[in-house]
């Protein structure tokens, strides 16, 4: 398979992934998930009409991160349904434990990780999902990332 064909397959798989997300949201309380449905429908339109300058591995990887952020950072029946369907369809995506990856690495490598930690740090500490030491480490990583 050539590079262009591989990129086209990756592009199509992201459209399929977005459609799956929309289907999952619709099957779980449509009124409650209206904003998510609308957002993912816009994302699907963006993918379908993707500018050629984003039709590369990096551009598509960034879009993949956008599609999966909700499902990687959330939990519950809806999220479990999504990952179960991914497994059933044998799609090449797996839930990532971003926090463990960041803590193991000891630094933030991009804006997505910075935003993730910024958005979840206090709640994770309040819910005892991280220790005080991990809270301090992550706070330092945020500071280091901002200062570079």
């Amino acid at each position: 398979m050539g590079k262009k064909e591989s990129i086209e397959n990756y592009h199509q798989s992201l459209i399929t992934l977005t459609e799956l997300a929309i289907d999952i949201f619709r099957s779980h309380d449509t009124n409650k998930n209206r904003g998510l449905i609308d957002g993912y429908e816009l994302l699907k339109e963006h993918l379908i009409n993707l500018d050629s300058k984003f039709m590369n591995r990096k551009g598509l990887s960034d879009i993949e991160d956008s599609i999966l952020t909700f499902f990687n950072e959330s939990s519950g029946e809806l999220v479990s349904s999504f990952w179960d369907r991914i497994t059933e369809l044998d799609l090449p995506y797996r839930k990532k434990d971003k926090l463990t990856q960041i803590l193991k690495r000891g630094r933030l490598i991009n804006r997505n990780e910075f935003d993730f930690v910024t958005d979840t740090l206090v709640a994770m500490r309040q819910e005892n999902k991280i220790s005080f030491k991990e809270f301090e480490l992550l706070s330092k990583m945020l500071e280091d990332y901002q200062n570079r």
Side-chain angles (χ1 to χ4, degrees), residues 98-125:
K98 282 184 169 182
L99 186 61
T100 299
Q101 291 174 337
I102 292 167
L103 286 167
K104 187 182 262 186
R105 186 182 328 109
R107 65 186 177 88
L108 302 172
I109 59 171
N110 59 37
R111 183 67 189 200
N112 285 342
E113 288 187 353
F114 176 83
D115 291 342
F116 166 71
V117 173
T118 300
D119 293 345
T120 62
L121 183 62
V122 173
M124 287 188 293
R125 181 64 195 128

Side-chain angles (χ1 to χ4, degrees), residues 21-81:
I22 292 167
D23 290 345
I24 294 294
F25 290 132
R26 284 191 173 134
S27 70
H28 290 79
D29 194 355
T30 302
N31 291 329
K32 181 179 175 188
N33 297 316
R34 184 79 253 157
L36 290 166
I37 293 168
D38 292 346
Y40 276 77
E41 285 177 342
L42 285 172
L43 190 54
K44 179 183 170 187
E45 277 301 309
H46 172 71
L47 270 166
I48 290 169
N49 301 307
L50 191 62
D51 189 312
S52 61
K53 69 182 176 185
F54 298 111
M55 192 65 83
N56 55 58
R57 178 91 25 216
K58 173 70 173 119
L60 294 175
S61 178
D62 288 346
I63 294 169
E64 177 184 333
D65 285 345
S66 295
I67 296 167
L68 293 176
T69 294
F70 174 84
F71 298 101
N72 279 323
E73 296 179 8
S74 301
S75 60
E77 183 183 334
L78 182 146
V79 173
S80 294
S81 296

